[in-house]
């Protein structure tokens, strides 16, 4: 039965059930679906769309255990400095989720504009009770028709996901230099001015498999030459937020990003929180270092951030685990805001300066990151095996 399930799953992934080939590329340039700074991976993972969900339902239980017998990549190769693709100097990116279209949501976007952001990477839950078109109108009115706004869809976007996807793709197509491979909002790998980022709607759709997303993430990170990498999705694990959310995303996606040396950005819980450096994402996580001044991201260690104060509401802090180094919630009388990071600061290519800023002028968290200083991990390894093949 397992062998049959694997063969069926391979067929689905090769044929992209429910999608046309055109729906898997986006960007200003139509000549190539693969960002120029990336080596083509050996295969393309594709998520099930709603039309294919009925097919997937009957397979999900049998396929999940079998998929990892042949992961897309067996290792992540680390690169020397000379091979790294660098982010444009002082590239400014805003990270936030759980928006809405009310007054506070608009004020947060105005704050981001005033900060001179070059890109918004949203962790989802966009319009809530408003239509996708109303949300897009708000972005258009405040930031303009061609501003690069890329999102990972959340659970409140699920009902209108096709309309959100189409609007996000249309906006991405208008942005020069933004190239995405995959289905924007659902599962895509993008580059913009040297920054490499993955957007995922992991577990947002019923019966969706986190294995498919983790496989895609691991594969894409194994084949990018970018120094700075971001993983973005909506859901959390209970231990990766400070409120009342449960285990929704699965640990596989966290681990795939850690092994690929990517910063992890989520939302869902309406608060802001940031972990210490983590060397293994589990419950409880393995903390690599409690040093708040030396935050170095590399294959094998990363940190997870929840930025869910984009305007909808704020919730109280219920968890006080020792792996958190910052928390800003309703308990701290949190105001709406966004995490804003500047990469390649003053020509220091491995440096990023980040701060969470609010519409009231507060700055409850501020930190500096470094990444890929010598293309090797601290213990000297030059590659990592893919342990996700045997993940629980």
């Amino acid at each position: 039965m397992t062998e049959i399930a694997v063969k069926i799953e391979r067929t689905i992934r090769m044929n992209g059930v429910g999608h046309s080939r055109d729906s898997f590329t986006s960007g200003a340039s139509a000549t190539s679906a693969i960002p120029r700074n990336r080596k083509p991976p050996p295969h393309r993972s594709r998520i099930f769309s709603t039309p294919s969900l009925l097919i997937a339902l009957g397979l999900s239980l049998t396929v999940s255990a079998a998929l990892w017998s042949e992961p897309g990549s067996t290792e992540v190769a680390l690169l020397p400095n000379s091979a790294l693709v660098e982010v444009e100097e002082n590239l400014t990116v805003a990270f936030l989720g759980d928006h809405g279209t009310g007054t506070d949501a608009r004020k947060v976007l105005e704050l981001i504009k005033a900060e001179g952001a070059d890109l918004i990477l949203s962790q989802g839950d966009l319009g809530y009770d408003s239509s996708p078109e109303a949300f897009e109108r708000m972005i258009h009115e405040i930031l303009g028709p061609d501003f690069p706004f890329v999102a990972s869809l959340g659970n409140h976007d699920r009902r209108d996901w096709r309309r959100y996807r189409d609007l996000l793709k249309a906006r991405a197509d208008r942005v020069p230099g933004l190239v995405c491979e995959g289905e924007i909002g659902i599962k895509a790998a993008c580059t913009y001015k040297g920054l490499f980022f993955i957007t995922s709607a992991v577990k947002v759709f019923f019966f969706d498999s986190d294995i498919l997303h983790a496989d895609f993430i691991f594969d894409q990170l194994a084949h990018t030459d970018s120094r700075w990498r971001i993983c973005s999705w909506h859901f959390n694990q209970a231990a990766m937020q400070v409120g009342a959310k449960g285990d929704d995303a699965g640990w596989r996606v966290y681990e795939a990003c850690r092994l690929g040396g990517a910063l992890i950005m989520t939302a869902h819980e309406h608060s802001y929180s940031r972990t210490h450096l983590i060397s293994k994402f589990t419950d409880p996580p393995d903390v690599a270092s409690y040093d708040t001044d030396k935050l170095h991201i590399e294959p094998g260690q990363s940190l997870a951030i929840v930025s869910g104060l984009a305007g909808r509401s704020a919730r109280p802090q219920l968890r006080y685990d020792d792996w958190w180094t910052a928390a800003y919630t309703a308990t701290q009388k949190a105001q709406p805001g966004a995490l804003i990071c500047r990469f390649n600061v003053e020509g220091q290519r491995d440096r990023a300066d980040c701060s969470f800023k609010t519409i009231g002028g507060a700055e409850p968290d501020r930190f500096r990151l470094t990444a890929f200083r010598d293309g090797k991990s601290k213990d000297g390894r030059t590659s990592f095996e893919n342990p996700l093949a045997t993940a629980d």
Side-chain angles (χ1 to χ4, degrees), residues 37-100:
N37 64 328
R38 293 185 57 249
K39 307 165 192 173
H43 76 276
R44 301 286 181 268
S45 300
R46 295 175 179 177
I47 193 172
F48 299 132
S49 68
T50 298
S52 66
L53 189 55
L54 293 176
I55 298 174
L57 293 182
L59 299 175
S60 58
L61 294 179
T62 54
V63 169
S64 294
L67 262 176
W68 285 107
S69 61
E70 289 190 6
S73 298
T74 58
E75 64 179 23
V76 169
L78 309 186
L79 302 164
N81 258 351
S82 60
L84 291 175
V85 172
E86 304 296 351
V87 169
E88 181 179 286
E89 187 170 353
N90 294 318
L91 181 74
T92 302
V93 183
F95 302 95
L96 69 168
D98 303 296
H99 299 256

Side-chain angles (χ1 to χ4, degrees), residues 323-392:
W323 52 85
W324 294 105
T325 185
Y328 184 60
T329 73
T331 304
Q332 292 83 28
K333 303 187 185 314
Q335 295 179 311
L339 179 68
I340 298 174
C341 294
R342 288 180 172 84
F343 297 88
N344 191 356
V345 179
E346 299 174 354
Q348 298 179 49
R349 296 172 296 178
D350 63 348
R351 171 183 162 187
D353 291 348
C354 300
S355 62
F356 189 88
K357 297 192 175 183
T358 75
I359 60 176
E363 194 174 18
D365 190 29
R366 186 182 185 91
F367 58 97
R368 177 170 296 175
L369 298 171
T370 58
F372 282 82
R373 277 192 165 160
D374 57 8
K376 295 181 180 180
S377 62
K378 286 193 297 186
D379 60 9
R381 283 184 290 178
T382 58
S383 65
F384 280 86
E385 292 293 325
N386 184 353
L388 303 176
T390 56
D392 293 331

Side-chain angles (χ1 to χ4, degrees), residues 301-321:
Q301 67 178 34
S302 185
L303 54 101
I305 297 173
V306 178
S307 185
L309 292 172
R312 180 64 173 182
S313 67
R315 296 184 180 130
Q317 183 171 1
L318 302 177
R319 298 183 61 130
Y320 295 84
D321 310 291

Side-chain angles (χ1 to χ4, degrees), residues 146-224:
D146 304 326
F147 185 88
F149 180 100
V150 182
S152 304
L153 298 187
N155 53 300
H156 285 283
D157 308 318
R158 186 164 47 213
R159 181 184 62 185
D160 296 317
W161 73 270
R162 287 186 184 84
R163 289 155 67 193
Y164 276 119
R165 176 201 59 190
D166 293 347
L167 288 167
L168 289 168
K169 183 180 184 302
R171 177 169 284 273
D173 287 342
R174 296 194 295 269
V175 179
L178 174 60
V179 181
C180 292
E181 177 192 357
E183 193 167 14
I184 291 181
I186 310 297
K187 189 175 62 175
C190 305
T191 56
Y192 184 64
K193 297 186 176 181
L195 182 70
F196 180 80
F197 54 94
I198 294 173
T199 66
S200 169
V202 58
K203 303 298 285 290
V204 166
F205 298 98
F206 298 116
F207 298 97
D208 184 19
S209 171
D210 63 313
I211 297 177
L212 294 175
H213 290 264
D215 186 29
F216 178 82
I217 290 168
F218 192 91
D219 229 23
Q220 296 295 325
L221 291 174
H223 293 88
T224 181

